[in-house]
Amino acid sequence: MKRWVVGILAGISLLMGGLTAQAESNHFSAQAVLPDNQIDKKVTYFDLLVKPGETQKVTVKINNGDTKSHQYDVQTHLATTSDNGNVVYDSTGKHADDSLQFNLAPATSTVKTLTVPAKQSLLVNMNVKIPAKQFPGVALGGINVTQHVANDGKKKGVSIQNQFGYTIGLQLREVKTLTVKPDLKLLAAGPIQVNYRNYIAAKLQNPRAVIMRDFKVDGYVTKKGDAKKMLKTVKDKMTMAPNSHFNYALGDGTKQLEAGHYVMHIKASAENGKYQWNLSKPFTITAKKASDMNGASIYKPEKTTNWTLVAILAAIIIILIGLLIWVILKNRRRDEDEK
């Protein structure tokens, strides 16, 4: 079982130009060697101006400050959007969105596991093949450098190993001034289950090759033909990667699903309200779907007391007791009269 311990994420969001520094306990660091075609020379991630059909070389420097040699893995991943509304640059990301025109991950040459001797540095060169057809906006990804952990299978039981890593942002564009504007699509809506909890989710897509910043979503669900809001969730300060999608979940995961016809409503904005969208999409929860997901959920409906039924039953009992007493008293008076 591996537990990620992140030393520094250099340029992981392309929004924070944090300085690359050496992690305290893993004794290694990784940094971008910025080439001449770096657009913004004040940042520590790659922001490169490229041309169609060319091969772009990118170089990463790995510094091993330990007293013994170590192996390192270097991988390039596409930037995607997590279901928490954050840009991610590692293997936890989703598959490429259908709107993506240039995926720089497979276009970047692969690197095998590298060995860096003690107290030395190593330059790692990779080539990115730029497509002949011009791509709009930006292509975004991340170069992940991790200290290699060998799993020889000799240790029995559960072992916890720290795997230290750095992520260096890799952004490519073919024009310095971007004119591509973000857009938002509501691709689908319906129930999903995450960690055995039920939610209603809107599948949101940024189909443009541009980062969507300061992204805010006000989402709610109504029954079809009814204006009453059943579920409502508001999130802000989110970021979407170019040409990506994610599931925007509504609710807290504790509700049981009910079969029926519903409508998802999304009111969203980006860039501090500069771009705004109002979207909606109907969806249906079938009885089988509700039953299956409710059965698998860790939250079960609480058994509540039906006080209306209790009151009715109590009233009936009181009436019956009253009738019984009335019959007994009537019979007693009749017996006394006969005497």
Side-chain angles (χ1 to χ4, degrees):
M1 180 173 61
K2 296 180 179 179
R3 182 181 61 202
W4 276 82
V5 178
V6 180
I8 275 193
L9 302 181
I12 189 158
S13 67
L14 301 187
L15 302 174
M16 301 172 61
L19 296 176
T20 303
Q22 183 174 335
E24 294 180 1
S25 57
N26 66 337
H27 306 292
F28 97 94
S29 65
Q31 62 193 79
V33 180
L34 303 180
D36 293 336
N37 60 327
Q38 173 81 7
I39 298 174
D40 188 348
K41 301 185 184 300
K42 296 180 180 179
V43 299
T44 57
Y45 57 85
F46 292 107
D47 180 18
L48 307 180
L49 184 65
V50 297
K51 296 178 181 180
E54 74 174 4
T55 298
Q56 172 67 49
K57 185 175 79 170
V58 292
T59 302
V60 173
K61 184 178 182 181
I62 302 176
N63 307 298
N64 179 14
D66 201 0
T67 55
K68 60 181 180 180
S69 64
H70 287 287
Q71 290 184 319
Y72 302 94
D73 298 321
V74 182
Q75 294 180 309
T76 303
H77 297 284
L78 175 70
T80 59
T81 304
S82 72
D83 286 345
N84 292 323
N86 299 312
V87 179
V88 291
Y89 299 81
D90 54 34
S91 57
T92 63
K94 303 182 182 68
H95 296 296
D97 188 80
D98 291 339
S99 66
L100 184 68
Q101 296 186 34
F102 173 40
N103 187 341
L104 56 72
T108 304
S109 58
T110 57
V111 178
K112 296 181 180 179
T113 300
L114 303 167
T115 300
V116 182
K119 300 294 182 178
Q120 293 188 32
S121 299
L122 180 68
L123 294 178
V124 183
N125 296 315
M126 292 165 284
N127 292 320
V128 185
K129 181 62 179 176
I130 310 302
K133 182 180 178 181
Q134 186 176 28
F135 63 88
V138 300
L140 187 62
I143 300 172
N144 296 76
V145 182
T146 56
Q147 186 169 306
H148 183 75
V149 178
N151 184 9
D152 53 14
K154 295 179 180 180
K155 294 182 179 180
K156 297 181 179 180
V158 177
S159 62
I160 298 177
Q161 296 172 314
N162 294 333
Q163 188 178 25
F164 302 96
Y166 288 80
T167 298
I168 301 172
L170 175 60
Q171 177 174 271
L172 308 179
R173 43 179 159 158
E174 295 180 339
V175 293
K176 286 187 177 181
T177 303
L178 296 175
T179 59
V180 179
K181 299 178 181 179
D183 193 13
L184 185 67
K185 303 292 184 183
L186 174 54
L187 299 182
I192 63 171
Q193 193 166 83
V194 181
N195 295 328
Y196 303 101
R197 293 170 172 84
N198 293 336
Y199 300 90
I200 303 297
K203 186 178 180 179
L204 300 178
Q205 178 199 44
N206 172 19
R208 301 285 177 80
V210 64
I211 301 172
M212 187 182 294
R213 297 180 173 88
D214 299 314
F215 184 42
K216 178 181 179 180
V217 175
D218 182 348
Y220 64 92
V221 173
T222 63
K223 282 191 174 181
K224 190 174 182 179
D226 191 349
K228 183 180 178 181
K229 298 178 181 180
M230 301 181 59
L231 284 177
K232 180 178 174 66
T233 299
V234 179
K235 292 183 181 179
D236 59 5
K237 301 185 186 324
M238 294 186 292
T239 307
M240 285 194 73
N243 302 105
S244 67
H245 61 268
F246 78 107
N247 289 319
Y248 181 80
L250 280 70
D252 59 6
T254 64
K255 306 296 183 183
Q256 292 279 292
L257 298 177
E258 295 183 7
H261 302 285
Y262 302 91
V263 179
M264 172 69 72
H265 303 266
I266 294 293
K267 181 179 180 181
S269 65
E271 307 291 346
N272 291 319
K274 181 179 180 180
Y275 304 101
Q276 297 185 6
W277 302 272
N278 284 285
L279 308 170
S280 64
K281 185 173 288 292
F283 65 95
T284 299
I285 301 178
T286 64
K288 184 179 186 308
K289 187 71 172 180
S291 177
D292 291 346
M293 292 184 66
N294 289 338
S297 173
I298 61 174
Y299 290 99
K300 305 301 179 184
E302 296 181 0
K303 295 181 179 180
T304 59
T305 303
N306 190 332
W307 292 109
T308 301
L309 180 60
V310 171
I312 293 173
L313 292 176
I316 293 174
I317 293 174
I318 292 173
I319 293 173
L320 291 175
I321 292 175
L323 287 174
L324 180 62
I325 294 175
W326 179 79
V327 170
I328 293 174
L329 292 177
K330 182 179 179 181
N331 290 336
R332 183 178 295 176
R333 292 194 190 97
R334 185 181 61 187
D335 292 341
E336 291 177 351
D337 293 340
E338 290 178 353
K339 292 179 180 180

